[in-house]
Amino acid sequence: MPSNYPPENISPDQLNSILTQIKDYQTNHGSLLKVIGSETPHSVHLQPVSASVFPTVFPRRLFNEAVDELQLIYNELYCKLAEDVEWLHAVTGPLRRTEPLVDALWSVYEDVQRRRQDEGSQYIEQRVHAGVFRSDYMLHVEGDSADSDDDDDDDDEEVNENWTQNLCLKQVEFNSYSCAGGCHADKVADMHRFLARWGLYDFALESNEGREEQVVNTKIPLSTLPKNSSINGIASVLASAHKIYGSKPHSPKATHTAVLMIVQPNNFNIADERPIEYALWNWVDDDDPIATYRIEWQLVLDHTKLTPTGELLFFPPESGDSTTASPVEISVVYHRAGYEPREYSEVVNGKQIRTRLELSRAIKCPSVLGHITTIKKVQQVLTVPGTLGRWLTKEKADKIRGTFVEIRSLDDVMSSTKNLEEEEELAENYILKPASLEGGGHNIYGTNIPAFLKTLSPDSIPDQSAYILMQKIRSPLNVYGMLMSSSRGVVADEVVSELGVFGGCVWERKESSSDRARCQVIENRVVGWSFKTKEVNVDEMSVVKGYGCFDTPFLVD
Amino acid sequence: MPSNYPPENISPDQLNSILTQIKDYQTNHGSLLKVIGSETPHSVHLQPVSASVFPTVFPRRLFNEAVDELQLIYNELYCKLAEDVEWLHAVTGPLRRTEPLVDALWSVYEDVQRRRQDEGSQYIEQRVHAGVFRSDYMLHVEGDSADSDDDDDDDDEEVNENWTQNLCLKQVEFNSYSCAGGCHADKVADMHRFLARWGLYDFALESNEGREEQVVNTKIPLSTLPKNSSINGIASVLASAHKIYGSKPHSPKATHTAVLMIVQPNNFNIADERPIEYALWNWVDDDDPIATYRIEWQLVLDHTKLTPTGELLFFPPESGDSTTASPVEISVVYHRAGYEPREYSEVVNGKQIRTRLELSRAIKCPSVLGHITTIKKVQQVLTVPGTLGRWLTKEKADKIRGTFVEIRSLDDVMSSTKNLEEEEELAENYILKPASLEGGGHNIYGTNIPAFLKTLSPDSIPDQSAYILMQKIRSPLNVYGMLMSSSRGVVADEVVSELGVFGGCVWERKESSSDRARCQVIENRVVGWSFKTKEVNVDEMSVVKGYGCFDTPFLVD
């Protein structure tokens, strides 16, 4: 780890020049968020997405491990889970009673099965599915306590050695549905690489320390900032699925086939969605660009139609009155909505929306079963010894098991430890997460857990089974960063980063009695990564909420 | 010209979808302006630059004439003007008494000459110069009156024929200094082409008219929307100049050579500057990217230094204390500031700034003489019969003379027509423009002229010579458009467009007694275009002020 990094004594003018470079780059490359409430029919205000000023150090060995080794195994596992309906149902079915989202997803699944088996049904089943996954990791200090040996400056080299040696990756969560952040991560990585090429960090570091040897130590060579092409990577998964579906429509009414992105209405984070559409329209791997449209979740029923054989016809809102315009046949449904309980309320006919999409002949990215794999309860049960062997070889299972932290079901804990709420020490080492949701927005952290538990009825198993307790990851100390966000300003502080690796899969369901053979993986690739950094004393990582910042790992040996 | 274009009866939902596409495209591609006053060290608000919703019709024949024929001649003319110091001085010298900007530019020129001839001067003269020019045209109806034959729908075809046949191009102005708009024009043209490829205009037009034949008539084929690559085009001029200067620094202190863009402070129109820097950093025509930096006008003296032989050394503000950092040797000075009288005030040492840049060995884009050619008085004198023969062959002179409107010096007019202020009819056909400035921001239009003239002292020749009277261009009627801007909202109205063609030149000054032989043109190219549209009842075209909109010509035969 380089010493005096990021540099402490940058002058205000110099810092201002650096920040201007960043804001201007983000402005010119669409690394932006819409300012909430600012949009009118004819205009909108935007602001740069939170980003790190200096790339944050991360061990090269662990970056490579996550990208080159772990992701392909996780991809394989989650494809197989998505076709293991009995197992998924056994694990997540019990949550239906208390968790509306889990119930909605299983209802959709059952409804689709029923309608396919209805007498006279002509629906053609689509057995090919796709997935864009993201596995999130944080650095974890192995051993009994975090490294706090930062007193002796003369030992810098030795400390740095230790720093990377006793670290490992621990998985925060695995996302298999509507994974966000890929477009921003791509652009911010390009930005940091551009700024390094420009010499921004060299200039800044050079002037900070006059000594020659220091200059050499603190430059950021381009080779330490990995390339990221998540935008094209995610698009490539959809392109593969589109190619399998075919460019010729099955329905004689349709003019062409196209990818359809299902999105939430008025999303202020549009810059994390649109680039995937643009990438597909500019796709040149095959002869033709891939037509790609978007529809807001609540408008799906008005602008789509199923043919008797299940082709999903789409009438773009831009075409006005859909009765006169020619429809498009959808090859791939790419889900970027439908992950919040309220989206399945009766107000918007959410179950009907999802059922129509699921029942269609289009390839779903992902299927409703693929969606169910993202539930935290699945992540917990996968940590139970012996479970992984159902889908993975021992060698593969061992590799990913190394990234697991201890995860316990709250009902197990409550039955064995009656007085957890008093055990502050234990609570401090755990995070309480809703078992049915993904994302970090609903977590309860450490010492807040006991108070929260008191609000639960002590004998209510349903309430307790709605939560999992996840061992807190022990982040390394003394990692410093400089972050810039519209909400928190410029902060130079001790930081914690999260590495997300994007996987892309296409697979086909086979009829087989063996659990392993039921899923034939057609494509299994790593398609990009995201890297986010927050101040160490902030619990949540969410960038769109203003906590975390997109970042690029400064890979160190 | 297609009928019912842009379509009138788009539903509000359909229009909203179209506008969302445009706003989102602009957001993701940096087609934005900073919101004035919104920038803080750590954030800034942005909004989409005004743009047309539908591309506006323009005759293909005249677009091609401007791009393929006229620009190369204008380029040649202005390179030669820039080396014809006697002629330039005779034409613009008299303005020095009343016009501070003209005086400042000539002072700089004289100061540079003097310092080169000083005893002991070792300054090496740079004889190669570069220019990024923009010639602006509007459509003009030839004959006695504008075409107002729009009563008879059955005659549509015939009207359309006439519409293109009796039109010609008239030059509004020629800009040889700090030409703006190229980056926005490039991105908006890409946007309209993307939206056409997407099918946005097909959908809109299709649903508007149910009849089959109408559908065919009103689609916008991609071939009718010309490609524009102004960003790379402008960058290519700087790249050529950089290559001539060389990538090896002359000064042993410098680490490398680089292009330096001189910019105004806190420019909210950053998206029209930065893309040129990014293009040069990503330049791949030669082996290496071209390092490109920027410095604000008022910081030039603090961050540059001339070597005794005239190399311009640059210390980036990002490098902090310039005494410890290594400088860069500037190969090309690209001027995007220094065109306003206030920039030469003593407060900012403007003349000293410009003199240092001009005196340097860097290739100037453009030189101070190249700058002086942009003064409106030059445009006026070029229209005097016999003038063009000094630099152009008869054939070339005739071609560009066809684009001239009548331009008269106000002092000539005042001495021949004593009562112009009463002649409202005459005034209605003219625009009064300051002779010393470029750009449209200071004009006085038509019927406002008499009142303005009364404010001038009638016998004051200096005051009168500060203005030119330019014949008003007679725009064709019945051209409709739909425009979207953050300030004026969405407007469907009769419109007027302005086509600007970007030229790029590199030339060398030769010692010669002949006026023609004094300038050897090394490169003469067309590097892009801009197309702006405003409502017909708005006088000024400025996009950054919220009047005009960037647009793409929908080329019609």
Side-chain angles (χ1 to χ4, degrees), chain B residues 93-381:
Chain B
L95 293 171
R96 292 182 67 171
R97 277 188 300 160
T98 51
E99 301 303 315
L101 180 63
V102 179
D103 187 57
L105 296 180
W106 280 112
S107 300
V108 168
Y109 177 78
E110 288 163 357
D111 196 26
V112 168
Q113 297 301 105
R114 199 162 37 238
R115 292 179 61 177
R116 284 223 183 91
Q117 286 149 20
D118 276 355
E119 206 176 333
S121 162
Q122 299 177 308
Y123 292 122
I124 296 167
E125 187 185 358
Q126 179 56 261
R127 296 185 172 204
V128 174
H129 298 120
V132 172
F133 305 142
R134 201 190 68 226
S135 183
D136 293 336
Y137 308 94
M138 292 175 88
L139 293 177
H140 178 71
V141 181
E142 290 183 302
D144 286 337
S145 69
D147 173 15
S148 59
D149 178 10
D150 65 331
D151 305 325
D152 191 348
D153 279 338
D154 296 339
D155 275 359
D156 262 6
E157 284 307 304
E158 204 191 321
V159 171
N160 293 342
E161 287 294 320
N162 289 344
W163 183 75
T164 65
Q165 269 176 15
N166 66 357
L167 293 178
C168 66
L169 294 170
K170 289 294 179 191
Q171 187 180 54
V172 179
E173 64 178 5
F174 190 93
N175 303 281
S176 65
Y177 192 78
S178 189
C179 296
C183 300
H184 283 303
D186 184 317
K187 290 186 175 184
V188 168
D190 277 354
M191 177 180 81
H192 285 125
R193 285 177 56 85
F194 170 76
L195 297 176
R197 255 187 340 121
W198 193 97
L200 191 78
Y201 301 121
D202 301 344
F203 284 128
L205 300 167
E206 218 170 70
S207 64
N208 187 51
E209 300 283 338
R211 291 175 303 165
E212 191 65 26
E213 68 270 41
Q214 201 67 31
V215 171
V216 176
N217 279 344
T218 51
K219 282 202 177 188
I220 302 185
L222 208 55
S223 60
T224 63
L225 301 177
K227 288 185 187 174
N228 190 11
S229 54
S230 306
I231 295 171
N232 274 321
I234 293 168
S236 74
V237 179
L238 305 172
S240 294
H242 175 79
K243 204 171 171 183
I244 289 170
Y245 189 93
S247 56
K248 202 178 158 308
H250 301 286
S251 164
K253 287 181 194 160
T255 53
H256 57 289
T257 66
V259 174
L260 181 63
M261 196 187 297
I262 317 290
V263 298
Q264 293 190 328
N266 307 315
N267 187 359
F268 71 106
N269 194 14
I270 195 79
D272 200 53
E273 293 177 349
R274 287 282 193 188
I276 297 166
E277 291 174 62
Y278 303 136
L280 287 167
W281 278 103
N282 292 322
W283 208 248
V284 288
D285 277 13
D286 304 308
D287 293 343
D288 287 318
I290 297 172
T292 307
Y293 304 96
R294 58 163 37 214
I295 188 71
E296 293 180 0
W297 176 258
Q298 79 286 0
L299 298 177
V300 166
L301 296 178
D302 288 346
H303 289 273
T304 60
K305 208 153 118 180
L306 278 189
T307 70
T309 44
E311 286 84 17
L312 182 66
L313 301 183
F314 174 62
F315 303 84
E318 290 82 352
S319 68
D321 180 1
S322 59
T323 56
T324 60
S326 320
V328 175
E329 181 174 325
I330 298 306
S331 56
V332 182
V333 168
Y334 174 41
H335 285 293
R336 292 294 294 261
Y339 49 84
E340 294 184 81
R342 61 175 173 79
E343 294 178 279
Y344 292 90
S345 78
E346 282 166 20
V347 182
V348 292
N349 287 314
K351 285 188 205 174
Q352 211 185 327
I353 291 168
R354 190 70 186 266
T355 299
R356 180 177 296 175
L357 299 173
E358 191 70 14
L359 189 58
S360 81
R361 192 173 175 174
I363 296 176
K364 271 70 72 182
C365 181
S367 65
V368 73
L369 291 181
H371 187 169
I372 288 170
T373 66
T374 215
I375 294 171
K376 285 247 159 59
K377 185 72 188 170
V378 169
Q379 189 188 2
Q380 180 243 310
V381 177

Side-chain angles (χ1 to χ4, degrees), chain A residues 43 94 176 218 224 227 322 334 342-343 454 456 462 466 504:
Chain A
S43 194
S176 65
T218 51
T224 63
K227 289 185 188 176
S322 60
Y334 175 41
R342 61 176 172 78
E343 294 179 277
K454 284 185 186 136
L456 297 181

Side-chain angles (χ1 to χ4, degrees), chain A residues 137-172:
Chain A
Y137 308 93
M138 291 175 89
L139 293 177
H140 179 73
V141 181
E142 291 182 301
D144 285 338
S145 70
D147 172 17
S148 59
D149 177 11
D150 64 330
D151 304 324
D152 191 348
D153 280 337
D154 296 339
D155 274 359
D156 261 6
E157 283 307 303
E158 204 191 321
V159 171
N160 294 340
E161 286 296 319
N162 289 344
W163 183 75
T164 64
Q165 270 177 13
N166 65 357
L167 294 178
C168 66
L169 294 171
K170 289 295 179 189
Q171 187 180 53
V172 180

Side-chain angles (χ1 to χ4, degrees), chain A residues 11 13-14 16-21 23-32 34-35 39-48 187 194 197-200 203-204 206-208 210 256 270-272 274-275 277-278 281-282 289 292-294 316-321 324-326 328 484-490, chain B residues 11 13-14 16-21 23-32 34-35 39-48 187 194 197-200 203-204 206-207 210 256 270-275 277-278 281-282 289 292-294 316-321 324-326 328 484-490:
Chain A
S11 74
D13 280 355
Q14 190 181 1
N16 210 43
S17 297
I18 294 171
L19 300 179
T20 299
Q21 286 256 15
K23 286 177 290 182
D24 286 358
Y25 188 97
Q26 294 189 278
T27 297
N28 281 283
H29 293 82
S31 179
L32 304 168
K34 288 182 177 175
V35 176
E39 188 152 10
T40 63
H42 58 273
S43 194
V44 62
H45 281 198
L46 307 147
Q47 60 191 0
K187 290 185 174 185
F194 170 77
R197 254 185 343 119
W198 193 98
L200 191 78
F203 282 132
E206 216 170 74
S207 65
N208 188 52
H256 57 288
I270 195 78
D272 200 53
R274 287 282 193 188
E277 291 175 62
Y278 302 136
W281 278 103
N282 293 322
T292 307
Y293 304 96
R294 59 163 37 212
E318 290 83 351
S319 68
D321 180 2
T324 60
S326 321
V328 175
M484 174 167 80
S485 83
S486 51
S487 59
R488 301 172 69 83
V490 178
Chain B
S11 75
D13 279 356
Q14 191 181 1
N16 210 43
S17 297
I18 293 171
L19 300 180
T20 299
Q21 286 256 13
K23 286 177 291 183
D24 286 357
Y25 188 98
Q26 293 189 279
T27 296
N28 281 284
H29 293 81
S31 178
L32 304 168
K34 288 183 177 175
V35 176
E39 189 152 9
T40 64
H42 58 273
S43 192
V44 62
H45 281 199
L46 307 147
Q47 59 191 359
K187 290 186 175 184
F194 170 76
R197 255 187 340 121
W198 193 97
L200 191 78
F203 284 128
E206 218 170 70
S207 64
H256 57 289
I270 195 79
D272 200 53
E273 293 177 349
R274 287 282 193 188
E277 291 174 62
Y278 303 136
W281 278 103
N282 292 322
T292 307
Y293 304 96
R294 58 163 37 214
E318 290 82 352
S319 68
D321 180 1
T324 60
S326 320
V328 175
M484 174 166 80
S485 83
S486 50
S487 58
R488 301 171 68 83
V490 177

